[in-house]
Amino acid sequence: MKTLYTNGTFLTMDPESRILSGGAMVVEDSLILALDREDMLRREHPEAEVRDLKGRLVLPGLINSHIHLAQSLFRGMTDDMTIEPWLFQRIWPLQAAHDTDTFLAGARLAMLEMMLTGTTTFVESMIIHYGLDELLQEVEASGMRARLARVVMEPREGSLLPARLTETFDTGLEEALRVRKLVKDPLRTDIWLGPRWTGMYNPLLLKKTVEAMDSYGLRATMHYAESPEDVDAIRQDTGLSPMQFAQDMGLTDREMLLIHCTYLDPEDPRRLGGHKASLAHCPSSSMKMAFGYADVPVLLETHTPVGLGTDAAACNNGNDLFTEIRGTALLHKFRAQDPEVLPARQVLRMATSLGARAIFEPDHLGCLLPGRRADFITVDPSWAAPLPEGAWESALVYSLNGRDVRDVYVDGRQLVREGESLIYDQEKVRSDARRALELLRQRTGL
């Protein structure tokens, strides 16, 4: 089936950053077939069903490169806390209290919010005992695209993790491999590894992770260099900087999505350039938790793929990637004391084409081009009007937000129409989430 989408301003995010005003796009099944002038496409595809995009902005579906679905119910319960009470008194007890039902209630809430605000692809970094099988089914039913990382860990003496969040490396790997066999379309959903590292320096864990990635063709994502304690332990044990150590362990030569990297040495961002590894930048959570920030402008200079992530609702309070788009632009201008740093177009790329590179799918996602998957969103620019002609990239970064998203498509299937989900009963998702949160509060006494 062919569909001709007309009357839109298409921000292709292709290598030339073409913007096609008043253009049209043909989608056949799950792929973009053509993108050009409307009159020409009408002549070439007279049989196509026509849909009017009402003059809206059209851009590739946004890619959220880092989220914690298990924490989506904790919004507002962990605000204005330093990291130790945040983890020990709230996050770990609440996560340990999850069962499959409460976890999925929160996961649906997060996916609904992402979907409504323009995210079509996300990377979940740390699934443990909650139910990876059931989450896979939920994601497939949602129509979204996801990379689901199963936690792997190597328990060490002195760990402060609750027993319910602790297991052997083989337990996590075995479940990841078993569930990966259930995946119907690896481009839609895939199972990754999520080595649990933070706060417990563990070279053995990294060695086992690299071996598993090589043996089974797995990708992985990992929090890295996000605390001074991590970095100090690396230096004391090895004498290396965080990125030198990552290179030494073989992490940078594999498809490893590193998260945060907020405490790298000054030369470390340049050391990552030219390697396979990528980085997920989460400015809102880094600022809220006072973690510092990666030197994104230098990373981009070295052609390191840097994507954007919302992180968890427990340390961000939302799953709207437009917040991270604006936050990235503002944070790095302020840091550099230079308003020319990270212009709007470059930040939009981090959420689309560069984000696709960061999750190792540069040939399928992130651009509106013939042959790419038909993942796209429409945005109503009314709230930013009046605008100078052609200022659409700036409007998307500085003036608009996820609530201006009107339509969302993944593989040509419409998930959101006029700001309403076609997949979920929105009130039921929210009421189920409220009930799940109450159960967690009862189980933990919080």
Side-chain angles (χ1 to χ4, degrees):
M1 175 181 173
K2 287 184 185 178
T3 305
L4 174 63
Y5 296 90
T6 66
N7 188 23
T9 296
F10 293 82
L11 289 83
T12 64
M13 307 312 297
D14 69 4
E16 289 76 40
S17 296
R18 289 182 305 141
I19 298 177
L20 188 60
S21 297
M25 181 170 70
V26 178
V27 171
E28 185 170 26
D29 299 324
S30 63
L31 298 177
I32 297 171
L33 190 63
L35 184 68
D36 216 312
R37 297 194 321 271
E38 180 180 338
D39 58 346
M40 187 176 78
L41 293 184
R42 279 184 180 271
R43 287 196 305 271
E44 293 179 353
H45 305 278
E47 76 284 12
E49 175 188 348
V50 178
R51 293 192 190 180
D52 185 351
L53 297 180
K54 304 177 182 179
R56 292 168 179 163
L57 307 180
V58 188
L59 63 156
L62 305 183
I63 296 171
N64 186 345
S65 60
H66 179 58
I67 188 172
H68 291 271
L69 298 176
Q71 295 180 29
S72 72
L73 297 180
F74 309 162
R75 183 176 356 217
M77 296 185 69
T78 58
D79 293 340
D80 307 322
M81 300 175 74
T82 57
I83 185 63
E84 288 191 359
W86 185 86
L87 270 178
F88 301 156
Q89 298 174 20
R90 296 297 172 90
I91 297 301
W92 285 350
L94 285 164
Q95 286 194 197
H98 263 312
D99 58 21
T100 299
D101 289 340
T102 58
F103 167 63
L104 289 180
R108 279 190 291 270
L109 181 68
M111 287 191 287
L112 173 63
E113 185 177 353
M114 284 191 284
M115 183 188 301
L116 292 177
T117 55
T119 289
T120 54
T121 301
F122 66 90
V123 179
E124 157 58 56
S125 66
M126 296 181 77
I127 301 296
I128 187 165
H129 67 268
Y130 321 121
L132 185 59
D133 307 65
E134 292 85 354
L135 179 60
L136 175 62
Q137 295 172 24
E138 187 67 44
V139 171
E140 289 177 341
S142 77
M144 296 186 75
R145 207 179 292 281
R147 305 295 178 259
L148 308 176
R150 178 57 167 88
V151 167
V152 287
M153 66 178 72
E154 187 61 32
R156 296 185 65 180
E157 186 178 349
S159 172
L160 299 175
L161 270 174
R164 189 162 162 75
L165 297 179
T166 303
E167 61 186 22
T168 66
F169 185 93
D170 289 344
T171 298
L173 177 61
E174 287 168 6
E175 184 172 37
L177 296 175
R178 178 181 61 79
V179 177
R180 198 181 193 208
K181 293 178 182 177
L182 305 177
V183 170
K184 298 173 183 175
D185 177 359
L187 190 53
R188 276 283 311 282
T189 50
D190 195 13
I191 307 300
W192 289 13
L193 297 182
R196 184 188 282 278
W197 158 275
T198 303
M200 208 65 188
Y201 164 70
N202 195 334
L204 179 59
L205 169 63
L206 301 188
K207 181 176 182 294
K208 287 189 172 184
T209 298
V210 167
E211 289 172 352
M213 292 174 72
D214 291 348
S215 296
Y216 301 104
L218 292 163
R219 292 166 174 164
T221 185
M222 180 180 73
H223 296 73
Y224 191 66
E226 67 169 329
S227 76
E229 292 77 14
D230 281 348
V231 173
D232 289 345
I234 291 170
R235 287 199 187 100
Q236 290 172 13
D237 193 55
T238 68
L240 301 174
S241 74
M243 205 51 66
Q244 287 172 324
F245 176 69
Q247 291 174 348
D248 196 53
M249 294 299 299
L251 301 182
T252 58
D253 291 327
R254 288 160 177 84
E255 292 185 328
M256 169 71 77
L257 173 59
L258 299 171
I259 306 159
H260 300 312
C261 292
T262 48
Y263 285 95
L264 298 178
D265 279 13
E267 292 303 311
D268 273 353
R270 298 194 183 279
R271 292 186 176 113
L272 191 54
H275 292 268
K276 288 185 179 179
S278 59
L279 189 138
H281 181 52
C282 309
S284 294
S285 68
S286 291
M287 288 188 283
K288 186 166 182 274
M289 298 298 295
F291 271 161
Y293 37 80
D295 193 342
V296 169
V298 171
L299 287 162
L300 295 180
E301 284 177 12
T302 68
H303 305 289
T304 298
V306 181
L308 298 181
T310 56
D311 208 342
C315 56
N316 178 341
N317 299 62
N319 299 307
D320 179 354
L321 202 67
F322 276 94
T323 301
E324 308 313 309
I325 291 171
R326 188 171 193 267
T328 297
L330 300 185
L331 169 63
H332 294 282
K333 293 178 193 300
F334 175 77
R335 173 187 172 275
Q337 294 293 286
D338 182 357
E340 295 184 343
V341 166
L342 289 190
R345 175 176 296 173
Q346 195 170 28
V347 180
L348 279 179
R349 285 189 175 282
M350 294 171 67
T352 54
S353 56
L354 197 56
R357 286 183 57 204
I359 68 165
F360 316 111
E361 299 292 353
D363 298 327
H364 303 284
L365 309 178
C367 295
L368 301 181
L369 285 172
R372 300 295 178 100
R373 291 293 181 118
D375 294 10
F376 62 98
I377 65 176
T378 74
V379 182
D380 183 354
S382 299
W383 281 104
L387 277 170
E389 183 65 28
W392 302 122
E393 293 165 326
S394 293
L396 286 163
V397 173
Y398 301 116
S399 301
L400 301 171
N401 60 48
R403 292 191 177 98
D404 297 305
V405 173
R406 309 316 301 154
D407 306 292
V408 176
Y409 294 80
V410 174
D411 273 345
R413 176 191 180 191
Q414 190 165 15
L415 308 185
V416 174
R417 179 185 297 145
E418 297 296 337
E420 297 291 329
S421 174
L422 299 178
I423 305 301
Y424 289 120
D425 178 334
Q426 295 176 199
E427 185 47 46
K428 184 177 188 308
V429 168
R430 292 174 180 131
S431 63
D432 288 348
R434 286 191 287 270
R435 284 194 294 272
L437 175 58
E438 186 56 33
L439 282 173
L440 294 178
R441 293 180 66 176
Q442 290 172 10
R443 291 171 188 169
T444 59
L446 291 174

